[in-house]
Amino acid sequence: MRLAMKVYQAFDRAIIQEIAADDEKTLERKLQWAAQAFADKSGWLPTHERMAVLRKVSASLEANRDRFALMIAREGGKPLPDAVIEVTRAIDGLLNAADELRNFGGKEIPMGLTAASTNRWAFTTKEPIGAVAAISAFNHPLNLIVHQIAPAIAVGCPVIIKPASTTPISCIELVKLFHEAGLDEHWCQTLVTEDNSLAERLATDPRIAFLSFIGSAKVGWYLKGMLPPGTRCALEHGGAAPVIVDRSADIEKIAGTIVKGGYYHAGQVCVSAQRLFVHEEILSSFTEAFAAKVAALRVGDPVLKDTEVGPLILPREVDRVSAWIKEATDAGAQEIGGGRLSETTLHPSILLDPAPDAKVSKLEVFGPLTCIYGYSDLDKAISIANSLPFAFQASVFSSDISVALKAARHLDASAVLVNDHTAFRTDWMPFAGRRQSGYGVGGIPWSMEEMADDKMVVFNHVS
């Protein structure tokens, strides 16, 4: 008998349902199926059939938009309006993967450039890399899954996806749509477990050719070190995204944008705006305007349509964030807002000038909190922004083009958003952490490249 696993609503901890969990025997069976599916080249789906599957799943997801959005809100705690947006992005992401196949191919390699290379014709083709293991995170329980499954299916890799144990239902239901669209179940399987050792076994099995990991840096870098020789990977971790607010910025225009970047999904986003460096000439007026908008955020049950900030994924995360805030205020930081709504939910808060060695200044908070620091020298602000051992996306707000360009050039980030918040992303753009924040490049087209190999064919046409 398979183990049972309980899935809870993030907001009130009510049980949504019990689902069957996998064990070592079911994992071994799934690994065998994936390996056999890839080994049998006669069973590989032609490109047009893979495109058709992706489009059918996109259409099915669109027809079930409201059902999936409600599930995201219930199991993950994302406010319903944002959950609807997540489903919409996932619908488009599936189409994006299908459309990329129109231009996903090799190229001619010049020959005849030396005497030894005459009478040759050479070109490359694309081949799937092999079985893909995908380990995902809770904070986008549908769209992150699409970012891992869709590229694999598009290029022709069998994939085994392990969703976060707190939010598995969206993933399970999406995989069902793939099977209903005609994809053999051996090409797209789930690993449902709360057992970290089982997830490690999946990631490090020699039959896996590529690991896609979205989650904590500690786990991701550990798994990378455990991979068998030849296994490739992409890691997506987090950071403590910096925002530079120049004195030329229009406070009334930008405050709401930064609030969205800092408190979207209660700050549980890997590129959530966390450290705000505000020029001292506008520090007081910015803080007042920003705090007013934060205080106006509607906090509560994520399934209600007017909720803007929901719960954290687990009560222990509320305890952790609360402890970090207390540490900072005990050391002299001033808190604006905050407080506990319930066991699972915090009111959004702001910390003014927490100490450089406070956890909120050094580590990823992953909660509904932003920190504001005043600065007078742009170079120093950028230096502090760059001082942490991780880097992902960053922002600068300015009406002065020279300031914007300087920040864009000198901020250590894979993407610098000018007059936009750090959590902005489209699903067709490259998305990657630097330093400890990640390895490899995400985004659907880039993941497709990561999950494929180039094979060169050379003809010697001596007559």
Side-chain angles (χ1 to χ4, degrees), residues 101-289:
L101 288 171
R102 292 185 177 276
N103 299 299
F104 191 74
K107 64 180 182 179
E108 184 175 356
I109 306 299
M111 289 288 133
L113 304 181
T114 63
S117 65
T118 56
N119 299 316
R120 269 87 173 175
W121 175 43
F123 58 89
T124 61
T125 62
K126 294 285 188 183
E127 288 190 343
I129 191 174
V132 171
I135 299 177
S136 206
F138 77 86
N139 53 342
H140 307 288
L142 178 67
N143 198 40
L144 289 181
I145 301 295
V146 166
H147 272 258
Q148 294 171 291
I149 289 181
I153 299 304
V155 303
C157 294
V159 57
I160 302 174
I161 178 84
K162 183 210 168 293
S165 59
T166 49
T167 57
I169 301 175
S170 297
C171 175
I172 292 168
E173 293 300 310
L174 178 68
V175 170
K176 286 181 183 177
L177 295 185
F178 273 96
H179 298 162
E180 291 169 5
L183 185 68
D184 186 282
E185 66 176 282
H186 296 177
W187 284 87
C188 187
Q189 305 176 81
T190 57
L191 175 68
V192 178
T193 182
E194 295 176 295
D195 185 346
N196 291 335
S197 65
L198 207 60
E200 180 179 337
R201 183 180 164 196
L202 166 67
T204 60
D205 190 277
R207 288 163 289 189
I208 294 298
F210 188 88
L211 169 65
S212 169
F213 178 87
I214 303 174
S216 79
K218 180 180 179 181
V219 175
W221 290 110
Y222 167 77
L223 289 177
K224 183 178 183 296
M226 297 293 290
L227 296 180
T231 303
R232 298 213 300 257
C233 69
L235 311 176
E236 183 183 311
H237 306 316
V243 178
I244 304 289
V245 182
D246 178 47
R247 58 187 167 189
S248 67
D250 187 323
I251 294 172
E252 289 303 318
K253 287 184 178 180
I254 71 170
T257 300
I258 302 176
V259 167
K260 183 65 177 178
Y263 299 93
Y264 165 66
H265 199 6
Q268 298 171 113
V269 180
C270 61
V271 286
S272 181
Q274 180 175 320
R275 297 176 296 147
L276 314 183
F277 299 93
V278 183
H279 197 283
E280 60 184 14
E281 289 185 12
I282 62 167
L283 180 59
S284 178
S285 54
F286 173 84
T287 301
E288 182 180 354

Side-chain angles (χ1 to χ4, degrees), residues 249-438:
D250 187 323
I251 294 172
E252 289 303 318
K253 287 184 178 180
I254 71 170
T257 300
I258 302 176
V259 167
K260 183 65 177 178
Y263 299 93
Y264 165 66
H265 199 6
Q268 298 171 113
V269 180
C270 61
V271 286
S272 181
Q274 180 175 320
R275 297 176 296 147
L276 314 183
F277 299 93
V278 183
H279 197 283
E280 60 184 14
E281 289 185 12
I282 62 167
L283 180 59
S284 178
S285 54
F286 173 84
T287 301
E288 182 180 354
F290 185 75
K293 290 187 180 295
V294 171
L297 290 169
R298 295 182 292 273
V299 184
D301 190 338
V303 304
L304 302 178
K305 292 183 179 180
D306 63 347
T307 297
E308 295 172 292
V309 177
L312 298 188
I313 190 62
L314 290 169
R316 68 169 181 258
E317 291 301 301
V318 178
D319 296 337
R320 176 188 60 80
V321 175
S322 298
W324 287 16
I325 292 172
K326 185 177 187 303
E327 177 203 56
T329 56
D330 285 350
Q334 177 187 347
E335 183 180 15
I336 301 175
R340 200 160 184 160
L341 177 69
S342 69
E343 175 192 21
T344 64
T345 308
L346 288 172
H347 287 288
S349 62
I350 303 165
L351 286 177
L352 301 182
D353 202 25
D357 61 349
K359 290 185 177 68
V360 297
S361 295
K362 299 191 302 180
L363 303 173
E364 180 180 33
V365 173
F366 227 60
L369 170 70
T370 57
C371 302
I372 296 179
Y373 312 83
Y375 79 90
S376 58
D377 180 83
L378 179 61
D379 290 329
K380 185 175 180 180
I382 292 173
S383 177
I384 297 171
N386 291 342
S387 64
L388 301 183
F390 34 76
F392 213 141
Q393 298 198 162
S395 288
V396 56
F397 288 82
S398 179
S399 297
D400 184 335
I401 188 65
S402 63
V403 171
L405 289 176
K406 182 174 185 178
R409 181 178 181 183
H410 291 282
L411 282 167
D412 190 1
S414 58
V416 177
L417 290 300
V418 179
N419 294 328
D420 210 342
H421 61 72
T422 57
F424 173 80
R425 181 187 185 183
T426 65
D427 300 294
W428 57 88
M429 68 188 246
F431 192 69
R434 291 184 175 181
R435 301 180 186 172
Q436 294 180 19
S437 289

